[in-house]
Amino acid sequence: MNAHAPLPPAPAEGCGVSVRQERGQRAVFCGLTGIVWLHRKIQDAFFLVVGSRTCAHLIQSAAGVMIFAEPRFATAIIDERDLAGLADMNEELDRVVSRLIERRPDIRLLFLVGSCPSEVIKLDLSRAASRLTRRLGPGVRVLNYSGSGIETTFTQGEDACLAALVPEMPREAPNAPPALLLVGALADVVEDQFLRLFADLGVGPVHVLPARRADALPPVGPNTTYLLAQPFLADTARALESRGATRLAAPFPLGVEGTTGWLKAAADAFLVPQARFSAVTAPGIARAEQALAPHRARLAGKRVFFFPDSQLEVPLARFLAREMGMAIAEVGTPYLHRAHLADELALLPAATRVVEGQSLDAQMDRARAARPDLTVCGLGLANPFEAEGLATKWSIELLFTPIQGYDQAGDLAELFARPLLRRARLEV
Ligand code: SF4
């Protein structure tokens, strides 16, 4: 297919939503980006990227606004000598890690994070992690995962990190009562709100992955049902299921409808009566509806085009279409997990065009032809589109901002309304 040709008609899927795949040049961040929110979430973990100066710059600039006096991430630089095979990378890595642990005795969990350069030189970080765990344990555990741009996009770094934690989770006790596991990094304030709602519903015990402390990993086993809080956790889900856990099918907790559906999946699994569910959720729904109303006035009838970036695109499109009255020009997503997103796809308006993967030039041409009112895309595409007169929203903001749950629904809508407001002001 010519990269610039319009898409041929796609076979229908689900409720009239068409999903087609595209392959070609991509423009997405790599999985290292996840460190920016994960290092804030797991408070005694440290992320050591084994990579190049480019990797160090990416992390520094992505986290630029959040540098603390003692940041909990760093890069062990692979330089030319290492690439030429003149140095023993394993010895160097052990030296760097020993120095780090001496200087930072508060570290309980150390992630060695692979990158493109460490993959190119085939540095075996899983062996390095086992070796270092033997040397530094039991006080410090060393795990590894890949954030390389060759293997991962933007949010898959979190998936790889959480999947690395699953084998470390303790086995649930024999005859343990049914437990609910919330899976996916949420801002602490959002996590606390959900835990309060589950307590009010009488659902429990409820555990979270990732836990805020490395030594508080939740138990897992056949009596665990889990609820994904993020749509990009395919490997983590697979790892949990290999430990006996069962996924609850649900939409994702974005907007009123998604949050209610997500809570309801757990409530039904724990046999919560409908009357209690309605009573517990009614105040949150009312607050969210009130917060959404002014943004609906600005967003209704506008057209939005999603470039593939965060894997949040399908639930966001569902929220914008159904709760904000927006029209969907296209929903690009880097990867679409058909089972995890089944409830979301069923809620999208019929004939919504969902494109999995990316062929960058072809997609940019479609966006230009569509002239959407709002384009949701990565940082690299936003500037050229703004210069062409298209209003844009950086998709990375949707990961750095608390957006899940009833009390964040207004903030979520505002993220999309703000660029339109700014453009309207500029035009005036
Ligand atoms: Fe670039 Fe690869 Fe390093 Fe990511 S991991 S910053 S894509 S070199």
Side-chain angles (χ1 to χ4, degrees), residues 412-428:
L412 174 60
E414 194 189 354
L415 283 176
F416 296 98
R418 217 182 296 144
L420 297 181
L421 184 62
R422 190 184 59 222
R423 187 152 289 267
R425 284 197 182 128
L426 286 174
E427 279 165 9
V428 169

mmCIF file of all heavy atoms in Angstrom, residues 412-428:
data_model
loop_
_atom_site.group_PDB
_atom_site.id
_atom_site.type_symbol
_atom_site.label_atom_id
_atom_site.label_comp_id
_atom_site.label_asym_id
_atom_site.label_seq_id
_atom_site.Cartn_x
_atom_site.Cartn_y
_atom_site.Cartn_z
ATOM 1 N N LEU A 412 -9.742 15.784 33.731
ATOM 2 C CA LEU A 412 -9.517 15.065 32.477
ATOM 3 C C LEU A 412 -10.134 15.842 31.309
ATOM 4 O O LEU A 412 -9.485 16.076 30.286
ATOM 5 C CB LEU A 412 -10.135 13.662 32.573
ATOM 6 C CG LEU A 412 -10.123 12.814 31.301
ATOM 7 C CD1 LEU A 412 -8.711 12.581 30.813
ATOM 8 C CD2 LEU A 412 -10.821 11.466 31.538
ATOM 9 N N ALA A 413 -11.370 16.262 31.474
ATOM 10 C CA ALA A 413 -12.031 17.021 30.393
ATOM 11 C C ALA A 413 -11.296 18.341 30.145
ATOM 12 O O ALA A 413 -11.132 18.771 29.004
ATOM 13 C CB ALA A 413 -13.491 17.276 30.770
ATOM 14 N N GLU A 414 -10.826 18.950 31.220
ATOM 15 C CA GLU A 414 -10.157 20.248 31.063
ATOM 16 C C GLU A 414 -8.876 20.134 30.243
ATOM 17 O O GLU A 414 -8.509 21.045 29.507
ATOM 18 C CB GLU A 414 -9.850 20.846 32.440
ATOM 19 C CG GLU A 414 -9.484 22.310 32.334
ATOM 20 C CD GLU A 414 -8.954 22.900 33.630
ATOM 21 O OE1 GLU A 414 -8.972 22.203 34.661
ATOM 22 O OE2 GLU A 414 -8.511 24.057 33.578
ATOM 23 N N LEU A 415 -8.196 18.968 30.373
ATOM 24 C CA LEU A 415 -6.972 18.779 29.590
ATOM 25 C C LEU A 415 -7.256 18.914 28.091
ATOM 26 O O LEU A 415 -6.412 19.371 27.332
ATOM 27 C CB LEU A 415 -6.366 17.396 29.867
ATOM 28 C CG LEU A 415 -5.615 17.227 31.185
ATOM 29 C CD1 LEU A 415 -5.174 15.782 31.349
ATOM 30 C CD2 LEU A 415 -4.403 18.145 31.252
ATOM 31 N N PHE A 416 -8.456 18.482 27.677
ATOM 32 C CA PHE A 416 -8.800 18.576 26.257
ATOM 33 C C PHE A 416 -9.411 19.937 25.913
ATOM 34 O O PHE A 416 -9.298 20.409 24.784
ATOM 35 C CB PHE A 416 -9.767 17.442 25.875
ATOM 36 C CG PHE A 416 -9.153 16.087 26.016
ATOM 37 C CD1 PHE A 416 -9.370 15.315 27.144
ATOM 38 C CD2 PHE A 416 -8.311 15.589 25.028
ATOM 39 C CE1 PHE A 416 -8.780 14.074 27.292
ATOM 40 C CE2 PHE A 416 -7.710 14.344 25.167
ATOM 41 C CZ PHE A 416 -7.946 13.582 26.300
ATOM 42 N N ALA A 417 -10.070 20.537 26.882
ATOM 43 C CA ALA A 417 -10.735 21.826 26.598
ATOM 44 C C ALA A 417 -9.728 22.976 26.543
ATOM 45 O O ALA A 417 -9.915 23.938 25.796
ATOM 46 C CB ALA A 417 -11.787 22.101 27.682
ATOM 47 N N ARG A 418 -8.640 22.844 27.321
ATOM 48 C CA ARG A 418 -7.692 23.969 27.434
ATOM 49 C C ARG A 418 -7.073 24.383 26.093
ATOM 50 O O ARG A 418 -7.044 25.576 25.783
ATOM 51 C CB ARG A 418 -6.601 23.609 28.451
ATOM 52 C CG ARG A 418 -6.190 24.817 29.286
ATOM 53 C CD ARG A 418 -5.087 24.476 30.256
ATOM 54 N NE ARG A 418 -5.442 23.522 31.263
ATOM 55 C CZ ARG A 418 -4.628 22.582 31.756
ATOM 56 N NH1 ARG A 418 -3.394 22.462 31.309
ATOM 57 N NH2 ARG A 418 -5.032 21.755 32.692
ATOM 58 N N PRO A 419 -6.586 23.428 25.269
ATOM 59 C CA PRO A 419 -6.003 23.868 23.994
ATOM 60 C C PRO A 419 -7.026 24.581 23.109
ATOM 61 O O PRO A 419 -6.672 25.511 22.370
ATOM 62 C CB PRO A 419 -5.551 22.570 23.328
ATOM 63 C CG PRO A 419 -5.546 21.537 24.379
ATOM 64 C CD PRO A 419 -6.495 21.976 25.443
ATOM 65 N N LEU A 420 -8.296 24.167 23.191
ATOM 66 C CA LEU A 420 -9.321 24.826 22.366
ATOM 67 C C LEU A 420 -9.577 26.240 22.879
ATOM 68 O O LEU A 420 -9.758 27.176 22.096
ATOM 69 C CB LEU A 420 -10.622 24.006 22.384
ATOM 70 C CG LEU A 420 -10.516 22.598 21.788
ATOM 71 C CD1 LEU A 420 -11.867 21.900 21.839
ATOM 72 C CD2 LEU A 420 -10.009 22.654 20.357
ATOM 73 N N LEU A 421 -9.561 26.374 24.188
ATOM 74 C CA LEU A 421 -9.767 27.697 24.786
ATOM 75 C C LEU A 421 -8.620 28.631 24.409
ATOM 76 O O LEU A 421 -8.824 29.778 24.011
ATOM 77 C CB LEU A 421 -9.852 27.543 26.311
ATOM 78 C CG LEU A 421 -10.168 28.803 27.105
ATOM 79 C CD1 LEU A 421 -11.537 29.344 26.721
ATOM 80 C CD2 LEU A 421 -10.131 28.503 28.607
ATOM 81 N N ARG A 422 -7.393 28.091 24.481
ATOM 82 C CA ARG A 422 -6.216 28.914 24.145
ATOM 83 C C ARG A 422 -6.301 29.371 22.687
ATOM 84 O O ARG A 422 -6.080 30.525 22.369
ATOM 85 C CB ARG A 422 -4.938 28.090 24.370
ATOM 86 C CG ARG A 422 -3.663 28.926 24.275
ATOM 87 C CD ARG A 422 -2.436 28.055 24.408
ATOM 88 N NE ARG A 422 -2.401 27.030 23.380
ATOM 89 C CZ ARG A 422 -2.053 25.770 23.567
ATOM 90 N NH1 ARG A 422 -1.713 25.368 24.760
ATOM 91 N NH2 ARG A 422 -2.029 24.910 22.578
ATOM 92 N N ARG A 423 -6.674 28.431 21.820
ATOM 93 C CA ARG A 423 -6.755 28.785 20.396
ATOM 94 C C ARG A 423 -7.857 29.815 20.162
ATOM 95 O O ARG A 423 -7.681 30.751 19.385
ATOM 96 C CB ARG A 423 -7.032 27.508 19.574
ATOM 97 C CG ARG A 423 -6.979 27.712 18.089
ATOM 98 C CD ARG A 423 -6.573 26.441 17.392
ATOM 99 N NE ARG A 423 -5.180 26.125 17.611
ATOM 100 C CZ ARG A 423 -4.209 26.503 16.778
ATOM 101 N NH1 ARG A 423 -4.482 27.204 15.708
ATOM 102 N NH2 ARG A 423 -2.954 26.179 17.028
ATOM 103 N N ALA A 424 -8.983 29.646 20.855
ATOM 104 C CA ALA A 424 -10.078 30.609 20.686
ATOM 105 C C ALA A 424 -9.617 32.006 21.119
ATOM 106 O O ALA A 424 -9.902 33.004 20.458
ATOM 107 C CB ALA A 424 -11.290 30.172 21.503
ATOM 108 N N ARG A 425 -8.846 32.054 22.213
ATOM 109 C CA ARG A 425 -8.354 33.358 22.693
ATOM 110 C C ARG A 425 -7.384 33.967 21.689
ATOM 111 O O ARG A 425 -7.429 35.168 21.420
ATOM 112 C CB ARG A 425 -7.651 33.197 24.037
ATOM 113 C CG ARG A 425 -8.628 33.001 25.177
ATOM 114 C CD ARG A 425 -7.951 33.251 26.511
ATOM 115 N NE ARG A 425 -8.871 33.007 27.597
ATOM 116 C CZ ARG A 425 -8.633 32.208 28.640
ATOM 117 N NH1 ARG A 425 -7.470 31.594 28.728
ATOM 118 N NH2 ARG A 425 -9.520 32.054 29.574
ATOM 119 N N LEU A 426 -6.504 33.114 21.120
ATOM 120 C CA LEU A 426 -5.539 33.620 20.139
ATOM 121 C C LEU A 426 -6.266 34.178 18.923
ATOM 122 O O LEU A 426 -5.886 35.202 18.366
ATOM 123 C CB LEU A 426 -4.589 32.496 19.700
ATOM 124 C CG LEU A 426 -3.535 32.086 20.726
ATOM 125 C CD1 LEU A 426 -2.752 30.877 20.230
ATOM 126 C CD2 LEU A 426 -2.567 33.233 21.010
ATOM 127 N N GLU A 427 -7.336 33.458 18.526
ATOM 128 C CA GLU A 427 -8.076 33.917 17.339
ATOM 129 C C GLU A 427 -8.757 35.242 17.606
ATOM 130 O O GLU A 427 -8.803 36.116 16.748
ATOM 131 C CB GLU A 427 -9.084 32.845 16.905
ATOM 132 C CG GLU A 427 -8.398 31.758 16.084
ATOM 133 C CD GLU A 427 -9.222 30.492 15.925
ATOM 134 O OE1 GLU A 427 -10.403 30.514 16.301
ATOM 135 O OE2 GLU A 427 -8.668 29.495 15.440
ATOM 136 N N VAL A 428 -9.295 35.414 18.852
ATOM 137 C CA VAL A 428 -9.919 36.700 19.192
ATOM 138 C C VAL A 428 -8.872 37.793 19.104
ATOM 139 O O VAL A 428 -9.085 38.853 18.547
ATOM 140 C CB VAL A 428 -10.528 36.626 20.612
ATOM 141 C CG1 VAL A 428 -10.925 38.015 21.080
ATOM 142 C CG2 VAL A 428 -11.751 35.732 20.597
#
